[in-house]
Amino acid sequence: MADKKQDKLTEAFATPYAFMLIVFLSIIFIGLSYVISSGRQDISMLSDITEEKRVQETIEEIIEAILNDETPESDSCVDLVWNKIESLNTDNFYVTMSDISSRINLNYFRDELIDGTDINKLLFKKGKSMSELEQYRHDIGLFPDPQCLQDDYLTEDAVLKYATVHSYMNINIADELALTELFKIRTGNDAGSESFRRRVQNERMNNAVVSNNNLKTILETHMDMLYPFINAVPVMNIHYVAEEILIRTLKYDFGDKPLSYPDRAYNTIIQSRDSREFKPENLKSVFTIDDVSHPIFDYCGTKSWFWEILISTADNKYKTVIAEIPDIGLSYRPEEDADYINTKRIIQIISSVKSEE
């Protein structure tokens, strides 16, 4: 049992993607001039201090609980990891975890969804819009954090619960220029980025939908450098996405492909998600959609990809971000024959920050 536990923790912390993921996130999410220490060692350096060692062990236990989940295709409120987190709390040691990827990613969401629904009113100050922010993003590059936009663009609620920069770029719905910028960052190939952009444009002109397990057709020889940062997994987990974002997303027309019963889908999810777990194959009936290539399955799924773990002690606060890397062999769409149980799960620590209370 101990060997199995160690194998899973080794898998979580020491993966082929680890270095790439850390470098990517330090550039995209933290900024070029400041890199937060990443991986297991940033906490381990302080392991001689009792509190920091306890924090490290707590994070390991949470990761192990996630890896031991018997329904890896879904993350929900009924998962045993929440029991584990509750058991870790004491009077002077308080642990919480939240999904930080099931939000609007300001680095690649397009203005069609945001400005075409009331989501813009949730995110932006009066007079501001996603199209304006999109132009600003094209001019200066990708944003390190929603807080850097609060003074000029975002509402306080947007920063606290609606916006994120912690999610993967879904190639089917991401802004083309954001995809191109990420291609340049990852490959250093400016000429190749334009060729990549044209391939994306051609796929969209042909109304083609790229599945996560068929990405090589468009990422081609750059697959190893671009995956998992660019993929085709659903970006928001219906179990955790804010109700206000969920209903507005469901009522979007998806390019003349609106859901027939968005209110019914919303009620089904909200009334059940605190007590049951939806599986990918359940979503066709929830959304009343048989076509698994429908754009709703790019926006809404059953997985959370980035988590924020907060630990508060009497004197300090610790914030750790972890990410699950999607398996390249799975689509994460409503496919009946997907083998999630026998698929290796990989979880990586992205950053750990300590601050005083």
Side-chain angles (χ1 to χ4, degrees):
M1 182 68 180
D3 290 341
K4 181 179 179 182
K5 174 181 178 179
Q6 187 58 46
D7 287 346
K8 287 195 172 185
L9 291 175
T10 300
E11 175 182 309
F13 290 109
T15 76
Y17 296 106
F19 178 74
M20 293 190 299
L21 193 58
I22 290 167
V23 170
F24 166 75
L25 290 166
S26 68
I27 293 173
I28 300 302
F29 299 144
I30 309 305
L32 292 172
S33 62
Y34 178 67
V35 179
I36 291 178
S37 56
S38 308
R40 189 176 184 176
Q41 69 179 34
D42 55 2
I43 297 178
S44 298
M45 288 188 297
L46 304 172
S47 59
D48 57 318
I49 303 173
T50 302
E51 184 175 277
E52 277 76 4
K53 184 175 181 181
R54 183 179 179 187
V55 168
Q56 174 190 342
E57 291 172 347
T58 297
I59 293 168
E60 290 179 357
E61 288 187 58
I62 292 172
I63 290 176
E64 183 186 12
I66 295 173
L67 291 174
N68 284 333
D69 181 18
E70 295 182 353
T71 56
E73 69 271 35
S74 300
D75 298 305
S76 72
C77 295
V78 301
D79 287 341
L80 294 179
V81 66
W82 301 110
N83 294 335
K84 167 57 68 175
I85 289 172
E86 186 176 353
S87 72
L88 294 169
N89 286 314
T90 61
D91 290 342
N92 294 314
F93 195 88
Y94 187 67
V95 185
T96 63
M97 185 174 75
S98 58
D99 175 336
I100 56 171
S101 52
S102 296
R103 302 180 182 187
I104 302 298
N105 192 313
L106 300 171
N107 276 323
Y108 70 78
F109 266 59
R110 290 184 283 176
D111 59 0
E112 289 94 334
L113 172 68
I114 309 305
D115 292 341
T117 67
D118 283 342
I119 292 177
N120 60 353
K121 295 179 181 178
L122 299 175
L123 295 177
F124 296 108
K125 294 181 176 180
K126 187 176 181 179
K128 300 297 183 178
S129 67
M130 189 64 191
S131 57
E132 184 179 349
L133 182 63
E134 197 173 75
Q135 183 59 54
Y136 181 60
R137 183 179 67 205
H138 295 164
D139 292 340
I140 71 164
L142 303 178
F143 309 122
D145 190 279
Q147 286 185 332
C148 72
L149 300 169
Q150 185 169 357
D151 288 344
D152 296 325
Y153 289 94
L154 301 182
T155 64
E156 183 177 359
D157 280 346
V159 173
L160 293 175
K161 59 182 180 179
Y162 297 138
T164 190
V165 294
H166 287 88
S167 65
Y168 298 116
M169 281 196 189
N170 180 308
I171 198 166
N172 294 310
I173 61 175
D175 173 65
E176 292 172 14
L177 292 181
L179 286 166
T180 305
E181 180 67 17
L182 181 51
F183 185 100
K184 291 178 184 178
I185 292 172
R186 290 295 306 147
T187 68
N189 185 343
D190 287 1
S193 69
E194 287 306 311
S195 176
F196 170 65
R197 183 182 175 185
R198 286 193 295 272
R199 290 199 301 275
V200 172
Q201 289 175 333
N202 289 336
E203 292 289 326
R204 291 178 178 178
M205 287 176 62
N206 295 325
N207 293 317
V209 174
V210 181
S211 295
N212 193 64
N213 53 0
N214 197 31
L215 275 169
K216 196 170 181 64
T217 59
I218 192 166
L219 299 187
E220 296 183 342
T221 57
H222 299 98
M223 183 79 179
D224 290 344
M225 300 190 73
L226 295 175
Y227 193 85
F229 320 118
I230 296 175
N231 59 38
V233 300
V235 296
M236 296 186 291
N237 185 346
I238 63 170
H239 297 100
Y240 297 116
V241 62
E243 294 181 17
E244 301 91 329
I245 298 294
L246 178 61
I247 185 59
R248 288 163 173 79
T249 302
L250 296 177
K251 288 188 173 182
Y252 180 53
D253 68 2
F254 301 104
D256 295 326
K257 295 182 179 179
L259 300 187
S260 299
Y261 308 103
D263 289 304
R264 187 170 73 184
Y266 171 79
N267 290 330
T268 298
I269 294 167
I270 296 303
Q271 292 172 8
S272 305
R273 68 180 185 177
D274 289 341
S275 58
R276 66 164 285 195
E277 186 169 73
F278 293 95
K279 306 295 178 58
E281 59 267 26
N282 301 144
L283 297 186
K284 287 195 292 185
S285 61
V286 170
F287 300 138
T288 322
I289 293 287
D290 288 327
D291 179 10
V292 297
S293 67
H294 191 280
I296 187 62
F297 299 117
D298 288 299
Y299 288 101
C300 295
T302 61
K303 288 286 297 177
S304 299
W305 301 110
F306 288 76
W307 298 94
E308 182 180 81
I309 302 169
L310 297 177
I311 300 175
S312 298
T313 67
D315 300 314
N316 300 298
K317 286 186 177 180
Y318 301 84
K319 180 170 72 174
T320 300
V321 175
I322 62 175
E324 181 165 353
I325 298 173
D327 189 277
I328 191 60
L330 297 172
S331 76
Y332 297 93
R333 288 174 178 265
E335 296 177 348
E336 301 289 348
D337 58 348
D339 186 5
Y340 292 97
I341 295 297
N342 295 314
T343 299
K344 181 190 295 184
R345 298 183 73 182
I346 298 173
I347 294 177
Q348 175 66 39
I349 288 183
I350 302 307
S351 65
S352 292
V353 180
K354 175 186 175 182
S355 60
E356 293 184 355
E357 285 279 18

